[in-house]
Amino acid sequence: MKNYLTYILGALLLLGISCKQDTQTKENPDAGNLAVREWKPDDMRNMTGLTAQRGLIVNTDRDTEGYVLFEPSSDTTTFLIDKAGRVVHRWDSELNSMNSYLLPNGHLLRLERDEDFPTFAAGGQAGRVREYDWDGNMLWDYELATETELIHHDIEPMPNGNILAIAYEVMPVEEAIAMGRDPERLPRAGLWLDQVVEIRPTYPKGGEIVWEWHMKDHLVQDFDPSKANYGDPSEHPRKIDINFHSTEEGDGPPPTEEQVKQMIKNGMATSNATVDNRGSDITHTNAIDYHPGLDQIALSSPGMNEIFIIDHSTTTEEARGRSGGNQGHGGDLLYRWGNPQNYGLGTPDDRVLFGQHDIRWIPEGQPGAGRLMVYNNDPHDGKAKLPTVWAGFQNAKPPEFAMAVGDVGNFSEVLELEPPTDADGAYVLDAGGTFGPEEPAWTYRAPDLYSFYSAFISGAHRLPNGNTFITEGMKGRFFEVSPDNQIVWEYWNPYMGTYKLPDGTEPQPKGPFIFGVFRSTLIPADNPAFAGKTLEPLQPQPEVYKMPPPPAEPEGQ
């Protein structure tokens, strides 16, 4: 998260938050047709959802039959619920998980948070990939969590049985300077640039990396003419400018040691955060997807406010250079979209993505097949006083940290994109040297704009019937919208989780967003993973978290 988080130090007294929780379900078949709220600048909107009704909220006959897979941010359990909001299956582990994939054979592939790695502290840390059978027996355990490398945020199962993973790799200060990084913008811990690794599992433990791509092999810079990668970024749009302005660096002064300690205490940073490594995670890549027909990989970098596509048809050696692969660009970017300022073109008005998550291709056979879908977390309405929700925390009060629309006008949206290609399927630059499209093919926003908002985490994916399933992550809200943008199903996560690392700290930075979910997935009922499985509501149902009642008012008040 950004350095804006330092504004809320000392404000997050979560254990003392008091409010009442109602988890009864209700049917609301006309939910998508309710009157649109007209917001006034002084109207307050709640940011955490702690006092919101949880469980099933909307259930209509226009939703997709199936089951929803998710993990609460501080839990060690993966839940599978039916569309009535009842848990029908669960997988339990001793480790925390951010997200998981249900495989066609009914096995669960989980990205888990290793409890002991020394270097990385930026949110989304993981380090372990594990496979479980339907009954919860661990079949495979893979670890990449060292002083110099760490799997983080997301993985992607491939048709060949291998696993793609995003991983940090440390670029020490000396190496970063040798690559042309401006020393004035270089944290003492160096930079954490990303790599993509393809892992061939070795059961029951370990695996072989059979393909890899490294961001550090595709850098350009116009800061130091003496370096080999010197050049004008606008003339090299398929390369990454090592001196791009990262929103993960923040715009204010770096935090002090005492502020970092307070962030850790308040659950806004993990225990290995230090003054030296604030700002090291400049790209913060948070999602990966694979298209088997194209043999391409899509990535999301909220630090750059861009999505990328790279070529998997290269060899590892070709991926280091400028040639090779089906499109002849080697490991250079085939496509990028969202913020052309990163390669020296455009203005702030040309930026479209703001801290986005969950880039995915729409699969074959579904409406919009071949297009990309992305959750755009944090656009600004251009009217409000403050740039982000984080800047508003200094004056907001628990438990809801409500903020006036006139102060914080940010919102979220889901975008569907169709990248322009030529007759051979290669991604093309427009006359101005940037990548299109100029406009999304489809956009979902709340009709009132402000009621749908998550500044971080979250995701969206297309369903076979044309509906779209959305995770509004920071509140733990899941909902399904029809092609005409009507909400046809809605559920709010009632499970909090109480897992802590061995040192007593949070496994992931979550602050007051205690019901938060990185991402949820709606799996249609006819998925082969469910063949022969019993999917009845568990008895008893797992215990939901109840907020404590408010304290009694002192007499005379």
Side-chain angles (χ1 to χ4, degrees):
M1 296 180 190
K2 309 175 183 67
N3 282 339
Y4 292 118
L5 298 184
T6 60
Y7 290 129
I8 66 173
L9 300 176
L12 308 177
L13 304 177
L14 296 179
L15 295 179
I17 292 174
S18 58
C19 47
K20 192 173 181 180
Q21 199 74 352
D22 178 4
T23 59
Q24 293 181 355
T25 63
K26 66 178 181 180
E27 301 287 328
N28 190 356
D30 298 320
N33 300 310
L34 297 178
V36 177
R37 176 173 180 175
E38 294 184 6
W39 293 82
K40 299 177 182 178
D42 291 337
D43 286 346
M44 306 295 287
R45 58 174 176 158
N46 296 332
M47 294 299 177
T48 62
L50 295 187
T51 61
Q53 177 178 331
R54 293 199 168 264
L56 185 65
I57 305 298
V58 176
N59 195 13
T60 76
D61 59 5
R62 298 180 64 193
D63 70 328
T64 304
E65 291 302 314
Y67 303 89
V68 179
L69 190 75
F70 68 96
E71 290 88 10
S73 61
S74 288
D75 212 335
T76 60
T77 296
T78 298
F79 292 104
L80 186 70
I81 63 170
D82 62 20
K83 298 303 288 290
R86 303 168 299 189
V87 177
V88 297
H89 199 71
R90 61 185 292 173
W91 291 263
D92 296 298
S93 171
E94 80 279 12
L95 297 180
N96 171 254
S97 175
M98 284 187 60
N99 66 86
S100 60
Y101 292 83
L102 188 62
L103 303 177
N105 61 1
H107 293 179
L108 186 75
L109 191 70
R110 273 177 47 120
L111 182 64
E112 298 190 343
R113 208 284 195 186
D114 190 89
E115 292 185 333
D116 182 25
F117 52 84
T119 304
F120 304 95
Q125 307 101 317
R128 304 293 278 267
V129 184
R130 288 177 168 178
E131 182 179 342
Y132 298 85
D133 67 16
W134 183 261
D135 296 321
N137 301 304
M138 187 170 61
L139 305 177
W140 179 57
D141 185 12
Y142 179 83
E143 179 179 2
L144 183 59
T146 71
E147 291 184 355
T148 58
E149 297 178 293
L150 181 77
I151 292 174
H152 65 95
H153 276 96
D154 197 13
I155 53 177
E156 170 74 0
M158 302 176 71
N160 63 3
N162 293 349
I163 312 298
L164 289 171
I166 308 165
Y168 292 124
E169 57 180 336
V170 170
M171 176 179 281
V173 168
E174 298 78 9
E175 183 180 355
I177 292 175
M179 296 300 295
R181 175 73 174 186
D182 180 356
E184 295 296 319
R185 296 173 53 212
L186 190 53
R188 288 191 291 268
L191 301 178
W192 305 336
L193 295 187
D194 284 297
Q195 59 182 316
V196 175
V197 295
E198 179 181 349
I199 306 158
R200 178 185 296 149
T202 302
Y203 291 89
K205 188 177 181 65
E208 177 188 4
I209 294 178
V210 297
W211 183 89
E212 54 195 281
W213 175 89
H214 300 264
M215 190 176 286
K216 68 181 182 182
D217 293 329
H218 308 282
L219 301 176
V220 67
Q221 53 85 28
D222 58 2
F223 174 77
D224 189 343
S226 70
K227 303 299 189 269
N229 64 343
Y230 181 77
D232 184 346
S234 68
E235 297 177 358
H236 301 277
R238 299 184 190 275
K239 292 189 178 293
I240 296 168
D241 182 1
I242 193 174
N243 290 307
F244 76 91
H245 176 71
S246 171
T247 51
E248 295 298 319
E249 294 177 87
D251 296 318
T256 65
E257 183 174 353
E258 183 58 36
Q259 286 175 326
V260 171
K261 290 179 179 178
Q262 192 67 37
M263 290 170 70
I264 295 170
K265 180 179 178 181
N266 291 331
M268 300 306 298
T270 50
S271 54
N272 45 9
T274 67
V275 172
D276 290 349
N277 63 28
R278 298 297 80 194
S280 290
D281 178 24
I282 58 174
T283 60
H284 199 74
T285 304
N286 60 20
I288 184 170
D289 193 42
Y290 177 68
H291 193 300
L294 299 174
D295 203 9
Q296 295 173 4
I297 297 168
L299 300 166
S300 164
S301 167
M304 301 183 73
N305 301 289
E306 279 192 288
I307 56 173
F308 308 126
I309 294 176
I310 61 174
D311 197 347
H312 180 262
S313 72
T314 63
T315 65
T316 293
E317 186 59 34
E318 288 172 338
R320 294 191 177 100
R322 298 182 179 180
S323 62
N326 290 337
Q327 295 197 13
H329 295 294
D332 285 352
L333 305 180
L334 298 181
Y335 175 78
R336 64 194 305 177
W337 191 82
N339 189 14
Q341 297 173 100
N342 286 335
Y343 49 104
L345 295 173
T347 69
D349 291 337
D350 296 309
R351 177 179 162 191
V352 181
L353 295 181
F354 297 82
Q356 78 288 337
H357 282 68
D358 198 21
I359 182 66
R360 304 191 195 201
W361 273 284
I362 298 175
E364 292 300 318
Q366 297 186 4
R371 294 175 177 173
L372 295 164
M373 181 166 284
V374 62
Y375 186 107
N376 197 16
N377 287 74
D378 214 18
H380 193 279
D381 66 3
K383 305 174 185 177
K385 301 174 184 176
L386 300 174
T388 70
V389 64
W390 314 115
F393 264 90
Q394 57 184 335
N395 296 318
K397 296 180 180 180
E400 290 289 10
F401 292 92
M403 300 176 194
V405 169
D407 289 334
V408 177
N410 299 55
F411 58 94
S412 292
E413 61 187 2
V414 177
L415 306 178
E416 180 182 327
L417 319 172
E418 187 167 12
T421 58
D422 63 19
D424 297 322
Y427 302 100
V428 295
L429 293 160
D430 62 24
T434 63
F435 290 92
E438 292 186 6
E439 299 290 339
W442 176 81
T443 300
Y444 174 79
R445 295 176 178 175
D448 64 1
L449 192 63
Y450 301 109
S451 63
F452 167 43
Y453 177 51
S454 179
F456 65 110
I457 53 181
S458 311
H461 61 96
R462 178 60 42 82
L463 300 170
N465 62 358
N467 290 353
T468 301
F469 191 74
I470 300 172
T471 307
E472 186 181 345
M474 73 184 193
K475 294 179 182 176
R477 177 192 179 210
F478 318 149
F479 62 105
E480 183 178 346
V481 298
S482 61
D484 57 351
N485 290 357
Q486 303 298 305
I487 295 176
V488 297
W489 186 85
E490 182 175 350
Y491 173 90
W492 290 55
N493 165 42
Y495 304 106
M496 185 184 75
T498 57
Y499 171 80
K500 294 287 196 297
L501 294 170
D503 62 7
T505 60
E506 293 287 343
Q508 299 293 341
K510 68 174 184 180
F513 305 103
I514 63 174
F515 292 104
V517 173
F518 178 75
R519 191 163 67 201
S520 63
T521 304
L522 174 53
I523 305 169
D526 61 358
N527 189 286
F530 301 133
K533 304 296 192 300
T534 300
L535 293 169
E536 298 293 335
L538 301 184
Q539 297 297 338
Q541 286 284 286
E543 184 176 353
V544 300
Y545 180 75
K546 295 280 189 178
M547 297 296 291
E553 292 288 340
E555 292 185 9
Q557 296 295 316

